[in-house]
């Protein structure tokens, strides 16, 4: 599976957009980009995923560069409850499912 | 609420003992995954079951075993416990490709915190 690189930590003011970058320069054509987050020892929470097009859901937007070597997760209006570790994961699809390989993620701290 | 349940929430036991962790996947999900999260190792994949059969294995110790039952719930058995087995154990489930398309999104339970004294 492709390796990802994320900054270890970021700060964001409440109400502002949080832009979390992820580098995945060795991504293959059949690999999706997934984002999860983990709030203080709770179970990881799925946020969004994409292949090559930008994606948006009720939680966030995912912007994938045209060459697919990097992506950005955008939380449009961060709140204190968005403070968490955010994981960017790249994985191929396999019939019957495939494991998630977690890195160290980005610790996002949202402050007043 | 992800729809995945895990019991117990907390477990405290002694070295050398054996414990069983239980996971109930989301309704209809065929795949169950087990992950371990310790302070020094981060989140690591242990094992996957798909519709009752072992599908993939990660860094799972020989002292650990798992199974998935006909009703699709899964159990993770940890034996001869050591201090280093203290960790959070998460279960995740995902649907079949037929059900959800090819993206196989995994949804995690709240975890079981195991403390070995």
């Amino acid at each position: 599976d492709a390796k990802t690189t994320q900054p270890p930590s970021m700060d964001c003011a409440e109400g502002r957009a949080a832009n979390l970058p992820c580098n995945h320069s060795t991504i293959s054509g059949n690999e999706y980009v997934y984002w999860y987050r983990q709030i203080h020892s709770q179970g990881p929470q799925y946020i969004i995923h994409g292949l090559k097009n930008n994606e948006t859901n009720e939680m966030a937007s995912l912007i994938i560069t045209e060459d697919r070597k990097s992506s950005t997760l955008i939380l449009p209006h961060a709140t204190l409850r968005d403070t968490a570790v955010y994981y960017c994961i790249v994985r191929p699809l396999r019939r019957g499912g495939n494991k998630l390989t977690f890195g160290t993620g980005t610790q996002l701290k949202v402050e007043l | 609420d992800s729809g995945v349940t895990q019991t117990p929430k907390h477990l405290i036991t002694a070295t050398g003992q054996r414990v069983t962790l239980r996971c109930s996947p989301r309704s209809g999900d065929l795949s169950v995954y087990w992950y371990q999260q310790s302070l020094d190792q981060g989140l690591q994949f242990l094992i996957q079951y798909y519709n009752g059969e072992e599908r993939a294995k990660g860094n799972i110790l020989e002292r650990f075993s798992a199974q998935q039952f006909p009703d699709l719930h899964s159990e993770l058995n940890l034996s001869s416990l050591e201090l280093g087995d203290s960790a959070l154990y998460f279960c995740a489930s995902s649907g079949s490709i037929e059900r959800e398309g090819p993206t196989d999104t995994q949804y995690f339970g709240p975890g079981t915190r195991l403390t070995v004294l």
Side-chain angles (χ1 to χ4, degrees):
Chain A
D1 298 354
K3 187 174 177 179
T4 62
T5 305
Q6 298 178 252
S9 64
M10 292 182 65
D11 293 332
C12 179
E14 189 177 35
R16 305 296 294 268
N19 298 291
L20 292 94
C22 179
N23 182 289
H24 33 78
S25 57
T26 60
I27 192 170
S28 299
N30 68 337
E31 291 181 315
Y32 279 72
V33 180
Y34 279 77
W35 283 83
Y36 280 78
R37 72 182 182 183
Q38 187 176 25
I39 299 170
H40 188 58
S41 298
Q42 297 179 21
Q45 179 187 21
Y46 165 76
I47 302 173
I48 199 166
H49 72 274
L51 182 61
K52 53 185 176 181
N53 297 322
N54 298 338
E55 303 287 344
T56 295
N57 63 20
E58 64 279 2
M59 286 184 71
S61 294
L62 174 60
I63 308 299
I64 303 174
T65 58
E66 197 169 336
D67 63 7
R68 302 210 320 126
K69 292 185 177 182
S70 66
S71 60
T72 301
L73 177 75
I74 301 172
L75 308 178
H77 304 288
T79 70
L80 298 177
R81 287 180 291 182
D82 292 321
T83 293
V85 178
Y86 287 77
Y87 297 98
C88 169
I89 299 166
V90 171
R91 76 195 250 265
L93 295 180
R94 292 200 183 112
R95 196 166 190 85
N98 193 11
K99 67 181 181 182
L100 293 166
T101 300
F102 289 84
T104 52
T106 295
Q107 171 67 63
L108 174 69
K109 188 175 180 183
V110 181
E111 298 172 306
L112 291 170
Chain B
D1 184 3
S2 66
V4 179
T5 61
Q6 290 186 248
T7 56
K9 269 189 169 179
H10 302 277
L11 200 46
I12 301 174
T13 188
T15 54
Q17 295 298 304
R18 173 190 168 93
V19 298
T20 298
L21 312 184
R22 182 187 168 102
C23 168
S24 293
R26 293 187 315 159
S27 177
D29 279 0
L30 299 179
S31 275
V32 170
Y33 303 77
W34 287 97
Y35 294 83
Q36 178 193 55
Q37 186 174 32
S38 56
L39 278 174
D40 57 346
Q41 294 286 336
L43 267 160
Q44 291 209 316
F45 167 71
L46 294 178
I47 197 165
Q48 178 205 357
Y49 276 81
Y50 178 79
N51 203 19
E53 293 188 3
E54 183 183 302
R55 180 58 67 103
K57 245 180 179 177
N59 299 322
I60 187 167
L61 300 171
E62 285 192 15
R63 300 183 285 107
F64 295 1
S65 65
Q67 54 185 327
Q68 185 179 30
F69 295 87
D71 66 353
L72 301 176
H73 91 272
S74 177
E75 291 180 357
L76 179 66
N77 300 297
L78 316 176
S79 61
S80 302
L81 285 167
E82 302 175 359
L83 296 178
D85 298 327
S86 296
L88 280 165
Y89 291 84
F90 292 105
C91 162
S93 76
S94 67
S96 66
I97 287 177
E98 289 76 18
R99 174 178 166 177
E100 291 189 358
T103 53
D104 180 42
T105 298
Q106 292 180 32
Y107 295 90
F108 284 76
T112 293
R113 182 178 293 277
L114 173 66
T115 302
V116 182
L117 301 174

